[in-house]
Amino acid sequence: MPKRLKIGDVFAVPLPNGTAGYVQYVADDASMLDSYVIRVFRGVYDLAGPLDIAEVVSLEVAFYAHVFLKVCVMHGFWKNVGNAPVPDRIEVLFRGCWDDGNPDVKVSRRWYVWRINEPFQEIGTLSPTYEKAEIGSVLPPQSIVERMVTGRYTLGQPL
């Protein structure tokens, strides 16, 4: 059983060719199933190389995501490599759609956005203002790795 997870924990995420990326657990989001929120850092490192956690958490953030963090750790997908302070305020906007999974809807007019632990704000059609908001679904570890490697998700398609 993995040790108790704490906000600030940093994890090594194995990537192809013996490399790793790093993520940090930064918040719990009561707005999205009380799920774990991570920030994913840009950069790829040698999985066996030395690690400076302070350097890792100072890297540019590539994206934020909601994840099944306990699953990632319990099954050994990600390794806890330490803990570091997190920013006082996480400035990220998430988006979701009430029509997700409905094959009959080609263009939804039922979008919503939110910030961590804040209520959903109904926005209707997804305007350009909100297109850059992060996908708010709680994602499995494979989806996080996929975006770290390719820069995008292929949600709803086999990995």
Side-chain angles (χ1 to χ4, degrees):
M1 188 72 168
K3 70 177 187 170
R4 182 177 158 95
L5 300 173
K6 296 181 296 237
I7 289 179
D9 284 349
V10 177
F11 299 88
V13 178
L15 301 174
N17 303 317
T19 61
Y22 291 93
V23 305
Q24 184 181 32
Y25 168 31
V26 296
D28 296 312
D29 189 357
S31 302
M32 180 47 66
L33 306 173
D34 210 19
S35 61
Y36 300 94
V37 178
I38 60 168
R39 61 181 180 165
V40 179
F41 300 102
R42 291 201 188 282
V44 175
Y45 297 85
D46 181 347
L47 189 57
L51 173 66
D52 179 345
I53 291 179
E55 178 186 324
V56 168
V57 298
S58 71
L59 295 170
E60 180 183 358
V61 175
F63 63 96
Y64 290 86
H66 293 88
V67 296
F68 296 111
L69 191 54
K70 284 184 181 177
V71 170
C72 297
V73 175
M74 188 180 334
H75 292 287
F77 299 134
W78 299 356
K79 180 182 176 192
N80 189 327
V81 294
N83 190 285
V86 298
D88 291 334
R89 176 106 171 114
I90 306 295
E91 293 296 330
V92 60
L93 185 67
F94 291 103
R95 65 183 161 107
C97 175
W98 296 119
D99 293 318
D100 274 352
N102 183 344
D104 297 329
V105 176
K106 302 301 177 209
V107 177
S108 179
R109 290 177 177 76
R110 300 181 63 210
W111 287 92
Y112 55 94
V113 295
W114 77 97
R115 295 189 186 284
I116 295 170
N117 295 319
E118 293 182 7
F120 294 161
Q121 175 188 350
E122 305 283 338
I123 60 168
T125 302
L126 187 64
S127 67
T129 303
Y130 299 112
E131 287 177 353
K132 296 280 187 201
E134 294 287 355
I135 300 294
S137 300
V138 183
L139 300 165
Q142 301 93 323
S143 292
I144 302 303
V145 169
E146 176 184 34
R147 184 160 174 197
M148 290 172 83
V149 171
T150 68
R152 64 186 193 93
Y153 301 119
T154 55
L155 300 174
Q157 298 183 23
L159 297 176

